[in-house]
Amino acid sequence: MRLFYMSVVVWLLSACRVVKSTCHDLLFQRDAEFCKGGLKVIYPDLIVDKCLIVPQKVREKISKEWGPPQVQLPGVKEGKNFMNGDVRGIELSAYARPTPPEDTGLHRYQFIVYEQPDDQTPSLSPQEESSLGNWDPQAFVQRFGLTGPVASLQFHTQNHKD
């Protein structure tokens, strides 16, 4: 099976019913339901294995110090990097640290894994490539006829000074 993942950044604009997250911050109910499939995103001092709000104490590290996380799926040996492990796939764009601007509130950072069709190699259009963060992931999914996703995960964070 060939898989690939894309990460997406979305600024939180709407209000809805909230629930408590594992980090004792408020998490929107629909955001808590987004996470499925057992995907894990692993940073040096933070393991994201369910939807959560990044704790204040690590916001500066995730924005300024830590490099790309390990991304793991169920069935891949523990500790193996998603891109270098047993699962083959493509990365649509290079990792960029979460760096939300000051005073803009929480931003969603999403990791979404799709099964890659055997007859296609999904890629970003030149317009999508030049405007990362400003393109429509759903249009991309429709263009390549993707189903799923196989797994998805997100975390919310804001500027470490806020």
Side-chain angles (χ1 to χ4, degrees):
M1 173 190 305
R2 292 175 53 184
L3 301 173
F4 71 94
Y5 80 92
M6 66 174 139
S7 56
V8 179
V9 180
V10 180
W11 184 43
L12 298 180
L13 293 171
S14 62
C16 58
R17 195 171 64 133
V18 295
V19 296
K20 283 288 195 177
S21 79
T22 56
C23 294
H24 307 294
D25 284 317
L26 295 175
L27 189 66
F28 297 118
Q29 179 66 36
R30 68 186 167 117
D31 291 318
E33 294 167 356
F34 176 85
C35 297
K36 58 185 173 189
L39 191 61
K40 273 189 192 180
V41 174
I42 302 171
Y43 290 96
D45 294 326
L46 178 68
I47 297 175
V48 182
D49 58 0
K50 59 187 136 235
C51 289
L52 58 79
I53 296 174
V54 172
Q56 177 66 38
K57 66 182 181 182
V58 297
R59 286 183 184 154
E60 185 170 10
K61 291 179 182 178
I62 203 171
S63 294
K64 293 185 170 189
E65 297 175 22
W66 297 339
Q70 289 184 340
V71 180
Q72 297 177 349
L73 277 173
V76 175
K77 293 180 183 176
E78 194 67 32
K80 285 244 185 192
N81 182 294
F82 173 75
M83 298 306 294
N84 297 326
D86 300 328
V87 179
R88 296 174 309 172
I90 61 170
E91 182 180 44
L92 292 175
S93 62
Y95 175 78
R97 289 183 178 116
T99 54
E102 283 186 62
D103 301 319
T104 59
L106 291 170
H107 293 246
R108 290 182 183 107
Y109 291 83
Q110 299 178 331
F111 295 80
I112 308 169
V113 178
Y114 292 95
E115 186 169 355
Q116 182 176 329
D118 290 331
D119 60 342
Q120 294 185 32
T121 302
S123 62
L124 297 177
S125 70
Q127 181 181 7
E128 291 167 338
E129 186 109 13
S130 67
S131 65
L132 291 178
N134 264 339
W135 55 279
D136 182 2
Q138 198 56 38
F140 174 88
V141 167
Q142 290 174 349
R143 185 168 73 240
F144 288 100
L146 304 175
T147 59
V150 173
S152 56
L153 184 68
Q154 71 179 341
F155 62 82
H156 300 196
T157 192
Q158 62 190 40
N159 188 283
H160 67 278
K161 294 178 182 176
D162 294 342

